[in-house]
Amino acid sequence: LPICPNGSINCQVSLEELFDRAVKLSHYIHSLSSDIFNEFDERYAQGRGFIAKAVNGCHTSSLTTPEDKEQAQQIHHEDLLNLVLGVLRSWNDPLVHLASEVQSIKEAPETILWKAVEIEEQNKRLLEGMEKIVGRLHSGEVGNEIYSPWEGLPSLQLPDEDSRLFAFYNLLHCLRRDSHKIDNYLKLLKCRLIHDNNC
Amino acid sequence: SPPEKPTIIKCRSPEKETFTCWWKPGSNGGHPTNHTLLYSKEGEEKVYECPDYKTAGPNSCYFDKKHTSFWTIYNITVRATNEIGSNVSDPHYVDVTYIVQPDPPVNITLELKKSVNRKPYLVLTWSPPPLADVRSGWLTLEYELRLKPEEGEEWETIFVGQQTQCKMFSLNPGKRYIVQIHCKPDHHGSWSEWSPEMYIQIPTDFRVKD
Amino acid sequence: SPPEKPTIIKCRSPEKETFTCWWKPGSNGGHPTNHTLLYSKEGEEKVYECPDYKTAGPNSCYFDKKHTSFWTIYNITVRATNEIGSNVSDPHYVDVTYIVQPDPPVNITLELKKSVNRKPYLVLTWSPPPLADVRSGWLTLEYELRLKPEEGEEWETIFVGQQTQCKMFSLNPGKRYIVQIHCKPDHHGSWSEWSPEMYIQIPTDFRVKD
């Protein structure tokens, strides 16, 4: 595929390519998020009953996101794209702190440390891509209104180890969940907008 | 005596749209016992009863699309009751996202072909299980195939990602191979059963040229 | 005279995270000449200068992670300037996804084995290049191997998809083979260099029993 044959004016990455890269990145971010959750769960959460406490503890639970195929297919693509943008933005701040605070966990394995940093970087990269996609699809200004603040930093620094570990567990549980939503919604949007629901 | 507490043994979603849970009753304490499945959903106080005890057979509860939500934790218990008293199972926490086990792939074809420079190879093609809606992108499946010479011991397994076809070059001339394929959702859930065994005879001239 | 216009000869990303461009200066018109690499991104008026002329050696510009975006097309030019005047190269358009050329695979092993029914075969295994291995979910690689008898003319090339091992059955007894492997990203980008040549002597009793 020649890049910008004879220097044409509107030489840009196609919408299909943008979606391909966004889906590949969201898939990768979710794989990392699953791995880091599983590693943390195996190493620090066994037998502490964290799952029962982690119910309804995500800072993004205020964002109404589709919970089944029908809802996801009925929502207009602009609204779903804005939701994805909103969830991604809501994770910028916690991921910055996760990458730094995770260093303080006792004997945290190198793989957890590296993944926390990698997820933070790739999440920013995906946000850049999503803003580009939304900019391409929406004629108007990219809406900034969807955002859910995170106030969890103090709980990652609690002196009591059990409480602090639960705070990490809950954050990683929510990251796994939200990154899976983003990956799933982007795959849906790609099939809808690029492949006319015929993936 | 009151019935023993039942045990929830498995929950499964075949296509990431509905799911079913099964339980194993304990002893009925010598009295006719009935079972009630109750569940609550993350972020809600309300407790619901199983919407459908029939569709999936005895000791089961079937949740149709309307009753199935993703990325949310179901807290499920089963209560056994007889005239003496009742007993409740341990709670079973389920996020349907993680219990998807698809049916095996279908329409598997095996075909021996010769490439441009007359090099023979085997082409396998297959389709996703009918129940799975991969077209909309709601469910994305990955595939893995395994093959071995008929009398061989060791399976050779090949992960092929999301493709629905695969070319095999390095096969043993003159051998009869068994081939099977299975699939799994792209992130969470478990592998389907293997597809039924298929056989292919590799001709003796299936040789790599000098 | 002013310097001749330089030519941008290549841009390459080894792991879809950073990239480097190289240029070839034209004649310097008899005067000391320096070069400036300038770039703009699709849809933006702003022009930036090369962030790092050092890391990748002379006549090069290295774009680290912070300066590498793969959501956009870069429009790159190089300007040569001496005391008489300056000259600008033709624009070079770069989409990072298309210039990914990984390093060759590593840790290649060749092993002669005997199958259950005493039939010998060759097993090759290898690992992805270290730079790509770290982010295996981000950069998916496909492999192709080639082999030929030492004194043979023609290479036999076999595409093995994403596997990192391969069984070779039909090799000729008594021959000494040369084997190499290279890899490429599963979508866009180009094949790596071939791995260094490896040799394997096929024993004379390596007969394919009928």
Side-chain angles (χ1 to χ4, degrees):
Chain A
L1 181 81
I3 303 283
C4 307
N6 51 55
S8 53
I9 304 308
N10 57 358
C11 165
Q12 56 184 13
V13 180
S14 70
L15 188 61
E16 176 168 0
E17 288 267 3
L18 290 175
F19 260 108
D20 269 347
R21 297 171 197 187
V23 163
K24 193 149 182 122
L25 191 44
S26 65
H27 186 97
Y28 175 54
I29 291 169
H30 178 60
S31 300
L32 290 171
S33 306
S34 283
D35 291 348
I36 197 171
F37 172 80
N38 292 330
E39 271 178 75
F40 185 91
D41 185 39
E42 260 159 53
R43 199 179 181 93
Y44 297 103
Q46 290 310 299
R48 292 180 189 244
F50 281 168
I51 184 163
K53 290 198 300 186
V55 165
N56 211 29
C58 298
H59 72 289
T60 50
S61 47
S62 61
L63 304 179
T64 324
T65 52
E67 283 190 346
D68 59 40
K69 179 173 117 172
E70 228 160 302
Q71 287 174 26
Q73 289 184 321
Q74 272 151 16
I75 186 173
H76 191 277
H77 68 263
E78 283 190 16
D79 299 325
L80 192 50
L81 280 167
N82 273 331
L83 257 177
V84 167
L85 263 179
V87 175
L88 282 170
R89 280 197 197 98
S90 306
W91 275 99
N92 252 350
D93 186 31
L95 286 175
V96 167
H97 294 293
L98 175 66
S100 55
E101 292 304 323
V102 86
Q103 323 282 332
S104 68
I105 298 179
K106 201 170 59 188
E107 294 149 31
E110 175 48 33
T111 48
I112 284 188
L113 306 181
W114 171 77
K115 285 189 173 100
V117 172
E118 178 76 353
I119 292 170
E120 192 233 331
E121 278 179 11
Q122 300 291 2
N123 194 73
K124 256 186 276 176
R125 175 177 272 171
L126 181 55
L127 185 53
E128 180 198 344
M130 288 314 300
E131 276 160 354
K132 181 109 193 199
I133 287 175
V134 169
R136 217 40 99 66
L137 285 169
H138 297 189
S139 40
E141 189 39 51
V142 172
N144 251 331
E145 64 288 336
I146 299 183
Y147 177 74
S148 188
W150 174 73
E151 281 112 14
L153 180 55
S155 60
L156 295 185
Q157 299 167 331
L158 289 170
D160 166 57
E161 193 195 37
D162 198 65
S163 312
R164 198 173 71 253
L165 285 179
F166 171 66
F168 274 105
Y169 176 90
N170 191 56
L171 189 60
L172 294 173
H173 158 76
C174 296
L175 176 61
R176 178 176 71 156
R177 171 178 287 183
D178 282 354
S179 60
H180 192 233
K181 285 184 182 180
I182 287 168
D183 184 48
N184 218 138
Y185 297 153
L186 285 181
K187 280 166 178 160
L188 261 170
L189 284 165
K190 181 185 156 198
C191 290
R192 192 193 301 181
L193 297 173
I194 308 292
H195 302 295
D196 199 19
N197 270 324
N198 196 11
C199 271
Chain B
S1 68
E4 253 183 4
K5 71 175 179 181
T7 316
I8 297 173
I9 38 176
K10 176 172 181 172
C11 295
R12 177 205 176 208
S13 165
E15 68 321 52
K16 201 173 148 184
E17 296 190 37
T18 66
F19 75 103
T20 300
C21 289
W22 292 266
W23 67 82
K24 192 165 126 271
S27 85
N28 65 9
H31 300 272
T33 297
N34 65 51
H35 291 85
T36 314
L37 181 140
L38 300 172
Y39 70 96
S40 62
K41 280 165 70 174
E42 177 173 349
E44 295 175 24
E45 291 305 320
K46 203 159 180 266
V47 176
Y48 307 87
E49 186 177 356
C50 166
D52 175 348
Y53 288 104
K54 293 274 172 299
T55 296
N59 299 322
S60 76
C61 176
Y62 172 69
F63 296 76
D64 63 11
K65 289 183 188 177
K66 226 158 33 61
H67 293 91
T68 300
S69 301
F70 291 84
W71 302 299
T72 184
I73 294 179
Y74 285 68
N75 176 338
I76 301 173
T77 53
V78 175
R79 192 175 59 215
T81 308
N82 66 18
E83 58 191 65
I84 309 295
S86 72
N87 227 321
V88 181
S89 72
D90 295 336
H92 193 72
Y93 294 99
V94 170
D95 182 333
V96 187
T97 312
Y98 303 104
I99 60 165
V100 180
Q101 178 189 26
D103 298 326
V106 296
N107 308 339
I108 298 159
T109 68
L110 306 176
E111 200 186 342
L112 282 172
K113 286 197 171 176
K114 281 243 164 94
S115 62
V116 167
N117 51 16
R118 294 194 25 75
K119 190 163 56 173
Y121 59 95
L122 177 63
V123 178
L124 300 94
T125 67
W126 58 88
S127 308
L131 272 184
D133 172 13
V134 295
R135 287 199 188 294
S136 74
W138 174 254
L139 174 60
T140 302
L141 292 177
E142 293 177 338
Y143 302 92
E144 192 176 63
L145 58 94
R146 70 177 185 182
L147 72 167
K148 75 178 172 80
E150 202 169 11
E151 80 296 344
E153 296 305 319
E154 228 183 291
W155 287 100
E156 182 176 352
T157 321
I158 299 164
F159 177 76
V160 290
Q162 296 172 22
Q163 293 162 260
T164 53
Q165 70 138 21
C166 174
K167 288 181 185 164
M168 304 282 309
F169 287 92
S170 55
L171 290 174
N172 201 340
K175 281 286 167 188
R176 198 162 113 95
Y177 277 86
I178 308 175
V179 182
Q180 292 180 294
I181 304 179
H182 65 176
C183 58
K184 165 173 113 35
D186 61 347
H187 284 300
H188 307 292
S190 47
W191 286 104
S192 70
E193 298 301 325
W194 287 102
S195 60
E197 290 186 348
M198 289 188 73
Y199 294 84
I200 181 92
Q201 176 68 44
I202 309 297
T204 44
D205 64 352
F206 189 75
R207 186 169 298 285
V208 175
K209 236 180 15 314
D210 256 340
Chain C
S1 69
E4 255 183 2
K5 74 174 179 182
T7 317
I8 297 172
I9 39 177
K10 176 173 179 165
C11 294
R12 175 204 176 210
S13 165
E15 74 311 61
K16 212 162 78 168
E17 292 278 333
T18 66
F19 73 99
T20 300
C21 290
W22 292 266
W23 67 83
K24 193 166 123 272
S27 85
N28 63 13
H31 299 273
T33 298
N34 64 51
H35 291 84
T36 313
L37 181 139
L38 301 170
Y39 68 94
S40 62
K41 294 184 191 173
E42 129 204 356
E44 287 179 29
E45 294 305 321
K46 200 159 181 252
V47 177
Y48 308 84
E49 187 178 354
C50 165
D52 176 348
Y53 288 102
K54 295 269 174 301
T55 298
N59 297 323
S60 76
C61 177
Y62 172 69
F63 296 77
D64 63 9
K65 251 194 251 184
K66 221 157 38 74
H67 293 92
T68 298
S69 163
F70 67 100
W71 306 103
T72 185
I73 289 186
Y74 289 72
N75 174 337
I76 299 174
T77 53
V78 176
R79 191 175 57 213
T81 309
N82 67 18
E83 59 191 65
I84 309 296
S86 73
N87 227 321
V88 181
S89 72
D90 296 336
H92 191 82
Y93 294 90
V94 165
D95 178 340
V96 175
T97 302
Y98 283 85
I99 60 166
V100 178
Q101 178 189 29
D103 296 328
V106 295
N107 307 337
I108 298 161
T109 68
L110 306 177
E111 198 187 344
L112 282 172
K113 283 196 172 177
K114 283 247 164 78
S115 64
V116 165
N117 48 20
R118 293 196 30 75
K119 182 168 321 149
Y121 57 93
L122 176 63
V123 177
L124 299 93
T125 67
W126 57 88
S127 305
L131 271 182
D133 193 20
V134 164
R135 294 183 176 78
S136 62
W138 174 231
L139 185 52
T140 309
L141 295 178
E142 294 177 335
Y143 300 91
E144 191 174 64
L145 59 93
R146 70 177 184 182
L147 73 169
K148 73 179 173 77
E150 200 169 13
E151 75 300 342
E153 288 308 313
E154 225 184 287
W155 288 99
E156 180 75 45
T157 325
I158 298 171
F159 177 77
V160 290
Q162 297 174 19
Q163 292 166 241
T164 53
Q165 71 135 28
C166 178
K167 286 182 183 170
M168 301 290 304
F169 288 97
S170 37
L171 292 176
N172 290 308
K175 292 268 181 188
R176 194 163 115 97
Y177 279 85
I178 306 175
V179 181
Q180 291 180 294
I181 305 178
H182 65 175
C183 56
K184 136 173 145 24
D186 62 347
H187 276 87
H188 311 300
S190 50
W191 287 105
S192 70
E193 298 300 323
W194 287 102
S195 61
E197 290 187 348
M198 290 188 74
Y199 295 84
I200 181 96
Q201 175 66 46
I202 310 295
T204 44
D205 65 348
F206 187 73
R207 186 152 303 286
V208 174
K209 232 179 7 312
D210 281 331

